[in-house]
């Protein structure tokens, strides 16, 4: 008998057991960060969000509360794009658990929710979280560490518009416009008033076209008439004028902006791999940190940190009721008379490093006799004594206005006689006597800040500033890889960074709970 292989025409069916339990929560550890996120988010008041997300006659598949949790959890885990969040909701059990059995939202729903519906609610929920951290005794509204960083905008690198260029082109255009108007008046004998503008002249030209029943021609081989050439030339100039006026209205005191995101300003970025000082469109992100938590956020189109301090503090005051930080700690980039004056009036102690602090410790600086700091000063007579033992006395007062509009009182001092001084060549380039422009108020406030930062408490706070606030930016940029915004426009960018800040705070609280560091406000200075 021959051996033959028997083939069963009906294969045996295998019954597979359902591996995923109906309650997927059993697969998530009790100490997982997603559980902490859900617990904290459930303690917040979502009334502002619900009002913003209300949809008449239609109910969303995912509640706004859970949609907010999903986006925050995405930012906690470096998932930023709406399509990546949609995919995570379909595949990741942590996102499924946050959905509470609801159908996964599509990317359009997530994008609309993040960019349009949570403009005020995101900031309200962020500061509710800050108050919650206060209730948990994680922060005390005592020490506010402030710093800023430049983050690239979602805009084309070569879409720049420069204010000086637009102003220059506008002047040339106005001259060209007057020449063309004069030519048109001579060619067509228009009855114009002295106040007639280009649009009025264009309207008269079109009226003349209708009266004389002139047909315009287009295409190759067609010869345009004088009236058609005049109209097209004037329309082109008016179009350029409207474009330049539109550009000028978008600067808002800045020197540049991007065509693809007009709120973004071209700035120097630290991530300049070519080392050629290339300017990129971006935003100046300002944060305030206490006990390693981000407790204040502001987005500024200003390149200077000094101009961004007061807007950050004012924005925080709008959401923190009567809570006010006792100590404000910032680096030398925030030094200005306006900032000092604001903090003094607010009765807050400022620990701002003077811009000349590092230089003042060098031998060359201390031996530079040209500097007012190195001249002998008599407060009773209000006069300086230079190296040649000559007196510099006040001769007048003037005002100096900053970019923000702050006015400083400047005292002008002039040396009594520099004619025979052997040090004049190295002391001043003026042909006459040496002059000094001194703001007494700024000198007094700077001196107070110097005393604050050099005290034992000031040294500890300055050390913590570099650890806490610069450490926060390090985590956001390096660990989270957040170096470029996804959304466009200052308000949308603010929403995006608030999501990132909320996720950062939840991760920080989760880390402190795991390492039993809750309630730790400052890092103590280690002594060898």
């Amino acid at each position: 008998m021959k051996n033959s292989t028997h083939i069963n025409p009906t294969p045996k069916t295998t019954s597979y057991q359902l591996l995923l339990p109906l309650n997927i929560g059993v697969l998530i550890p009790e100490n997982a960060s997603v559980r902490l996120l859900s617990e904290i988010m459930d303690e917040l008041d979502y009334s502002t969000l619900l009002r913003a997300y209300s949809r008449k006659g239609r109910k969303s598949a995912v509640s706004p509360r859970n949609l907010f949790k999903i986006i925050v959890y995405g930012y906690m885990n470096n998932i930023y794009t709406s399509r990546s969040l949609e995919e995570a909701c379909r595949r990741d059990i942590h996102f499924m658990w946050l959905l509470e059995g609801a159908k996964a939202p599509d990317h359009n729903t997530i994008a609309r929710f993040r960019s349009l519906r949570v403009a005020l609610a995101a900031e309200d929920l962020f500061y509710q979280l800050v108050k919650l951290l206060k209730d948990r005794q994680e922060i005390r509204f005592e020490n506010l560490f402030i710093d800023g960083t430049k983050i690239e905008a979602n805009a084309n690198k070569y879409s720049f518009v420069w204010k000086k260029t637009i102003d220059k082109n506008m002047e040339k255009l106005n001259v060209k416009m007057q020449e063309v108007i004069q030519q048109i008046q001579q060619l067509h004998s228009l009855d114009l008033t002295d106040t007639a503008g280009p649009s009025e002249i264009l309207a008269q030209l079109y009226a003349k076209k209708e009266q004389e029943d002139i047909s315009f021609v287009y295409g190759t081989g067609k010869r345009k008439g004088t009236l058609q050439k005049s109209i097209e030339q004037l329309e082109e100039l008016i179009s350029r004028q409207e474009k330049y006026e539109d550009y000028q209205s978008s600067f808002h005191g800045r020197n540049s902006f991007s065509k693809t995101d007009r709120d973004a300003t071209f700035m120097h970025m630290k991530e300049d791999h070519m080392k050629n000082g290339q300017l990129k469109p971006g935003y100046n992100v300002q944060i305030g940190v206490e006990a390693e938590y981000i407790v204040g956020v502001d987005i500024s189109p200003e390149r200077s940190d000094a101009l961004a301090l007061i807007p950050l503090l004012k924005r925080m005051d709008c959401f923190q009721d009567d809570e006010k930080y006792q100590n404000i700690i910032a680096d030398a980039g925030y030094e200005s008379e306006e900032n000092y004056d604001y903090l003094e009036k607010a009765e807050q102690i400022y620990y701002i490093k003077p811009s000349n602090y590092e230089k003042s410790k060098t031998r060359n600086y201390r031996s530079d006799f040209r500097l007012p700091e190195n001249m002998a000063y008599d407060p009773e007579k209000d006069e300086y004594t230079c190296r040649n033992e000559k007196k510099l006395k006040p001769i007048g007062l003037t005002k100096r206005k900053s970019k923000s509009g702050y006015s400083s009182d400047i005292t002008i001092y002039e040396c009594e006689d520099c004619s025979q001084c052997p040090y004049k060549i190295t002391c001043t380039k003026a042909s006459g006597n040496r002059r000094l422009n001194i703001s007494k108020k700024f000198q007094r406030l700077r001196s107070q800040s110097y005393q604050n930062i050099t005290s034992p408490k000031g040294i500890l706070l300055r050390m913590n500033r570099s650890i806490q606030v610069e450490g926060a930016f390090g985590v956001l940029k390096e660990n989270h890889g957040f170096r470029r915004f996804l959304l466009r426009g200052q308000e949308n960018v603010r929403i995006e960074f608030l999501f990132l800040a909320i996720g950062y705070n939840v991760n920080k609280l989760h880390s402190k709970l795991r390492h039993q560091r809750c309630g730790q406000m400052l890092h103590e200075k280690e002594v060898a």
Side-chain angles (χ1 to χ4, degrees):
M1 185 178 179
K2 295 181 179 180
N3 293 331
S4 61
T5 304
H6 177 70
I7 300 176
N8 189 355
T10 57
K12 183 178 179 181
T13 59
T14 305
S15 60
Y16 292 96
Q17 185 179 1
L18 184 63
L19 297 179
L20 183 65
L22 295 178
N23 181 14
I24 60 176
V26 299
L27 296 178
I28 300 175
E30 291 296 326
N31 61 348
S33 60
V34 68
R35 291 188 181 275
L36 179 62
L37 167 69
S38 183
E39 175 191 340
I40 291 175
M41 293 291 105
D42 287 341
E43 296 183 36
L44 306 182
D45 179 12
Y46 289 85
S47 56
T48 306
L49 176 62
L50 295 175
R51 285 195 299 269
Y53 199 71
S54 60
R55 306 168 78 181
K56 295 182 179 180
R58 191 176 172 189
K59 189 176 180 181
S60 176
V62 183
S63 69
R65 181 195 305 250
N66 290 344
L67 203 50
F68 194 88
K69 290 181 184 178
I70 286 168
I71 297 177
V72 171
Y73 190 65
Y75 277 83
M76 289 172 61
N77 293 276
N78 308 349
I79 303 174
Y80 305 126
T81 66
S82 55
R83 293 183 184 273
S84 299
L85 288 169
E86 177 190 4
E87 184 178 359
C89 289
R90 300 183 187 279
R91 296 185 177 185
D92 193 313
I93 61 170
H94 298 86
F95 286 89
M96 294 178 185
W97 183 74
L98 289 174
L99 284 170
E100 297 179 352
K103 183 182 177 181
D106 61 12
H107 62 274
N108 285 324
T109 301
I110 296 172
R112 285 194 300 267
F113 178 87
R114 179 170 53 182
S115 62
L116 299 177
R117 300 182 184 275
V118 293
L120 292 176
E123 199 159 16
D124 175 61
L125 291 169
F126 169 76
Y127 284 103
Q128 283 190 52
L129 175 60
V130 173
K131 293 177 183 177
L132 185 63
L133 292 172
K134 170 71 162 49
D135 295 338
R136 290 189 174 217
Q137 298 182 350
E138 286 296 309
I139 63 175
R140 298 175 186 169
F141 287 97
E142 183 179 357
N143 302 311
L144 182 64
F145 304 102
I146 295 176
D147 201 3
T149 191
K150 312 295 193 300
I151 296 182
E152 189 175 350
N154 183 11
N156 192 298
K157 297 177 183 178
Y158 304 105
S159 59
F160 39 76
V161 179
W162 303 104
K163 189 176 188 304
K164 288 184 178 180
T165 303
I166 297 302
D167 291 343
K168 183 178 179 181
N169 291 342
M170 194 68 175
E171 291 178 5
K172 292 181 178 179
L173 179 64
N174 290 335
V175 174
K176 179 69 174 178
M177 183 77 77
Q178 294 300 320
E179 294 176 356
V180 170
I181 288 174
Q182 290 178 3
Q183 293 174 4
I184 290 174
Q185 190 173 9
Q186 293 173 1
L187 286 172
H188 305 286
S189 302
L190 300 179
D191 185 16
L192 301 176
T193 62
D194 294 337
T195 58
S199 299
E200 184 179 344
I201 297 170
L202 185 64
Q204 289 195 26
L205 291 176
Y206 270 110
K208 185 175 182 179
K209 172 180 177 292
E210 295 296 329
Q211 291 173 1
E212 300 179 4
D213 194 21
I214 299 176
S215 298
F216 287 173
V217 296
Y218 302 95
T220 56
K222 305 289 185 180
R223 188 184 182 94
K224 296 180 181 180
T226 306
L227 182 63
Q228 182 177 356
K229 289 181 180 179
S230 298
I231 289 177
E232 289 180 354
Q233 186 179 21
L234 190 57
E235 283 182 338
E236 192 272 334
L237 292 176
I238 291 174
S239 175
R240 285 173 55 193
Q241 186 181 50
E242 290 175 348
K243 181 180 73 172
Y244 291 152
E245 289 175 351
D246 180 40
Y247 284 167
Q248 287 178 331
S249 66
S250 299
F251 285 111
H252 302 298
R254 299 173 294 164
N255 293 323
S256 66
F257 69 85
S258 169
K259 293 178 183 177
T260 47
D261 184 356
R262 293 201 174 189
D263 291 340
T265 307
F266 277 79
M267 309 176 180
H268 286 286
M269 301 287 176
K270 290 183 179 178
E271 293 78 20
D272 184 13
H273 305 295
M274 298 299 292
K275 305 296 183 184
N276 57 0
Q278 182 183 14
L279 298 175
K280 297 180 183 178
Y283 292 94
N284 190 352
V285 179
Q286 299 289 315
I287 65 171
V289 174
E290 185 185 18
E292 302 177 40
Y293 296 101
I294 298 177
V295 295
V297 169
D298 193 28
I299 305 296
S300 174
E302 292 288 348
R303 293 179 294 178
S304 170
D305 285 338
L307 295 173
L309 176 65
I310 296 176
L312 170 65
L313 296 176
K314 287 183 176 180
R315 197 167 192 95
M316 293 174 65
D317 290 341
C318 292
F319 291 91
Q320 292 176 342
D321 301 329
D322 296 331
E323 298 283 3
K324 185 173 288 188
Y325 286 89
Q326 301 173 17
N327 307 310
I328 307 297
I329 306 97
D331 64 4
Y334 292 88
E335 190 193 32
S336 71
E337 182 180 332
E338 182 180 8
N339 291 340
Y340 282 143
D341 189 33
Y342 178 85
L343 294 173
E344 184 180 55
K345 290 177 179 177
E347 298 180 352
Q348 293 173 295
I349 304 174
Y350 43 88
Y351 296 82
I352 301 178
K353 185 166 68 173
S355 57
N356 64 346
Y357 177 73
E358 297 299 334
K359 288 184 179 179
S360 64
K361 295 187 291 185
T362 63
R363 182 181 301 174
N364 289 337
Y365 187 92
R366 292 195 297 267
S367 61
D368 189 349
F369 57 86
R370 299 171 300 170
L371 300 175
E373 296 90 331
N374 296 331
M375 294 183 183
Y377 177 70
D378 187 347
E380 294 183 358
K381 295 182 180 180
D382 189 19
E383 60 184 27
Y384 289 87
T385 303
C386 71
R387 189 181 183 183
N388 197 32
E389 300 300 327
K390 298 292 184 180
K391 305 297 182 184
L392 285 84
K393 301 179 181 181
I395 61 170
L397 296 172
T398 186
K399 296 280 187 181
R400 180 187 295 162
K401 228 172 206 183
S402 67
K403 183 180 178 181
S404 62
Y406 179 81
S407 181
S408 301
D409 294 324
I410 306 298
T411 304
I412 303 174
Y413 295 83
E414 184 175 344
C415 184
E416 54 186 348
D417 185 18
C418 292
S419 58
Q420 302 298 325
C421 180
Y423 309 109
K424 182 178 179 180
I425 297 178
T426 56
C427 182
T428 179
K429 295 181 180 179
S431 58
N433 296 329
R434 168 76 187 276
R435 286 190 175 187
L436 296 176
N437 295 332
I438 304 293
S439 171
K440 296 180 181 179
K441 188 175 186 178
F442 177 67
Q443 284 196 328
R444 176 181 63 81
L445 296 171
R446 170 184 269 189
S447 176
Q448 181 61 54
S449 184
Y450 180 83
Q451 293 178 19
N452 292 341
I453 67 170
T454 52
S455 66
K457 182 178 180 180
I459 294 172
L460 178 64
L461 291 178
R462 281 196 297 123
M463 182 195 73
N464 274 269
R465 190 205 68 82
S466 61
I467 294 174
Q468 296 198 29
V469 69
E470 292 182 9
F473 277 131
V475 171
L476 296 178
K477 283 190 167 184
E478 297 298 332
N479 296 10
H480 289 275
F482 195 88
R483 296 179 176 273
R484 194 171 191 260
F485 287 107
L486 293 174
L487 306 182
R488 291 178 175 178
Q490 186 173 350
E491 291 306 314
N492 285 337
V493 164
R494 189 192 311 278
I495 293 169
E496 187 175 2
F497 195 82
L498 285 168
F499 276 115
L500 185 66
I502 293 173
Y504 172 86
N505 285 345
V506 175
N507 276 335
K508 179 59 66 175
L509 179 58
H510 183 251
S511 174
K512 284 194 169 187
L513 287 170
R514 284 172 46 222
H515 295 93
Q516 298 180 352
R517 293 198 307 113
C518 291
Q520 180 180 344
M521 300 292 145
L522 297 173
H523 295 269
E524 296 297 330
K525 190 174 182 180
E526 296 182 1
V527 180

